[in-house]
Amino acid sequence: MARQNCRMKKDRRPQESESLIETLRIERTNLSQAEFAVQCGIPLRTYQRWIAGTTEAKLTPLQWKAVMQLLQIQSLDEIPDDFGPINQISKE
């Protein structure tokens, strides 16, 4: 059986986001969402739910270390309080 090339394709679409964590990924790395998620040990769909604000991000210490390293976060002040969209304020 021939071995297939398992390289991930880069997402070439214009990238912008209302999520602070996603904005940091775009600005500070050359990684696609899939590559970023894999390197952080997070399933891609889970990461996408976090940045969409569908679910709350709950990372393990190892995942936090990977996220902070990849995003070059030096201070806790740089970590967003929420991974979801910035404008996701509950409307009453």
Side-chain angles (χ1 to χ4, degrees):
M1 180 182 281
R3 188 172 175 176
Q4 293 181 345
N5 188 353
C6 294
R7 292 172 38 170
M8 290 184 190
K9 293 182 180 179
K10 287 279 192 188
D11 185 0
R12 300 287 182 209
R13 293 173 291 169
Q15 297 181 344
E16 49 186 62
S17 177
E18 295 179 359
S19 163
L20 288 176
I21 200 77
E22 181 68 352
T23 299
L24 289 174
R25 178 195 64 83
I26 293 165
E27 291 176 352
R28 296 184 180 185
T29 75
N30 289 322
L31 300 173
S32 68
Q33 283 184 352
E35 291 167 327
F36 182 77
V38 165
Q39 289 192 27
C40 293
I42 302 165
L44 173 60
R45 192 65 194 116
T46 299
Y47 177 75
Q48 291 171 333
R49 286 184 186 111
W50 291 350
I51 63 174
T54 307
T55 59
E56 183 180 343
K58 296 178 183 174
L59 287 83
T60 67
L62 215 71
Q63 290 168 329
W64 268 118
K65 285 180 182 181
V67 167
M68 292 179 72
Q69 202 169 33
L70 287 169
L71 297 179
Q72 303 156 23
I73 293 175
Q74 302 296 317
S75 164
L76 293 177
D77 295 332
E78 293 180 75
I79 299 173
D81 292 333
D82 190 342
F83 284 12
I86 299 165
N87 63 356
Q88 189 179 29
I89 301 171
S90 64
K91 297 177 183 177
E92 296 179 23

